[in-house]
């Protein structure tokens, strides 16, 4: 299964992976426009987005990303991410965050050794869909609270207007399984 790419998905992943929050609707729209409409422009935008975090060490970057993706318990993943960033250069951290975000979306129904990522993948898919719902709601003129959306009061305005399943379909820009961001 492959993740369907879109500017909205890339921007949502970057904001959740690095900031653990979703931008206001105005900022989201600006970021989406800056990201462009092609895979090449999305990659360039991810590279640019990650440049804002170059002051952090590779260890701090890895911890930030795995924590914000809900996998801070996975020391092995964190160590592998540090090694990967050391090997390819931390200037590529935005691209790596998007790649990891996509990979996690694809593990909701994994089997074998990768099945340990089923629950985090389901939570990540829900978080990305809710982030999209929040940021596309014009009533949300400020960034969401930091942290997972579950139980956060400011997230309720987005969820009241659109079910998560509908947001998932809109986020990827085509009809898909209502329970997944994958086709």
């Amino acid at each position: 299964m492959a993740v369907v790419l879109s500017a909205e998905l890339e921007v949502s992943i970057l904001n959740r992976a690095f900031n653990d929050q979703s931008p206001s609707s105005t900022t989201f729209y600006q970021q989406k426009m800056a990201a462009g409409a092609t895979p090449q422009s999305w990659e360039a935008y991810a590279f640019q987005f990650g440049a804002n975090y170059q002051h952090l060490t590779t260890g701090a970057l890895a911890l930030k990303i795995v924590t914000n993706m809900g996998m801070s318990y996975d020391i092995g993943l964190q160590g592998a991410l540090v090694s990967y960033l050391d090997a390819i250069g931390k200037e590529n951290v935005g691209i790596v965050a998007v790649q990891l975000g996509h990979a996690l979306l694809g593990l909701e129904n994994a089997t074998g050794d990768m099945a340990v990522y089923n629950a985090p993948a389901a939570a990540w898919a829900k978080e990305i869909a809710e982030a999209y719902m929040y940021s596309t709601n014009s009533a949300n003129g400020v960034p969401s609270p930091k942290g997972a959306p579950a139980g956060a009061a400011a997230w309720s305005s987005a969820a009241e207007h659109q079910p998560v399943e509908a947001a998932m379909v809109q986020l990827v820009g085509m009809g898909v399984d209502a329970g997944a961001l994958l086709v």
Side-chain angles (χ1 to χ4, degrees):
M1 295 182 159
V3 174
V4 177
L5 303 178
S6 68
E8 292 89 348
L9 178 61
E10 307 306 288
V11 168
S12 295
I13 287 173
L14 287 165
N15 279 288
R16 296 309 301 181
F18 284 100
N19 302 321
D20 203 23
Q21 72 181 157
S22 302
S24 69
S25 62
T26 301
T27 300
F28 183 78
Y29 178 76
Q30 292 168 345
Q31 289 178 341
K32 181 179 102 167
M33 297 308 294
T38 68
Q40 295 80 13
S41 67
W42 302 330
E43 184 175 299
Y45 183 75
F47 184 84
Q48 175 189 2
F49 196 99
N52 296 314
Y53 301 88
Q54 293 303 301
H55 64 282
L56 298 174
T57 66
T58 55
L61 287 167
L63 179 60
K64 174 183 270 304
I65 292 167
V66 299
T67 298
N68 291 345
M69 289 185 176
M71 298 180 295
S72 59
Y73 64 87
D74 194 333
I75 302 301
L77 177 61
Q78 185 179 336
L81 189 53
V82 168
S83 295
Y84 187 57
L85 289 171
D86 284 341
I88 65 163
K90 74 176 182 176
E91 65 272 8
N92 294 301
V93 69
I95 296 166
V96 172
V98 168
Q99 291 171 340
L100 184 59
H102 289 188
L104 187 56
L105 289 173
L107 294 175
E108 195 167 349
N109 296 307
T111 58
D113 291 345
M114 300 304 279
V116 299
Y117 294 107
N118 292 158
W124 178 244
K126 185 176 189 296
E127 182 174 337
I128 293 299
E130 289 177 350
Y132 170 78
M133 288 177 5
Y134 182 88
S135 293
T136 57
N137 182 343
S138 61
N140 292 321
V142 297
S144 70
K146 287 191 181 249
W155 285 85
S156 62
S157 63
E160 289 170 7
H161 297 290
Q162 185 177 41
V164 171
E165 291 81 12
M168 289 179 182
V169 171
Q170 285 184 356
L171 181 58
V172 298
M174 62 179 54
V176 295
D177 232 350
L181 289 173
L182 309 173
V183 292

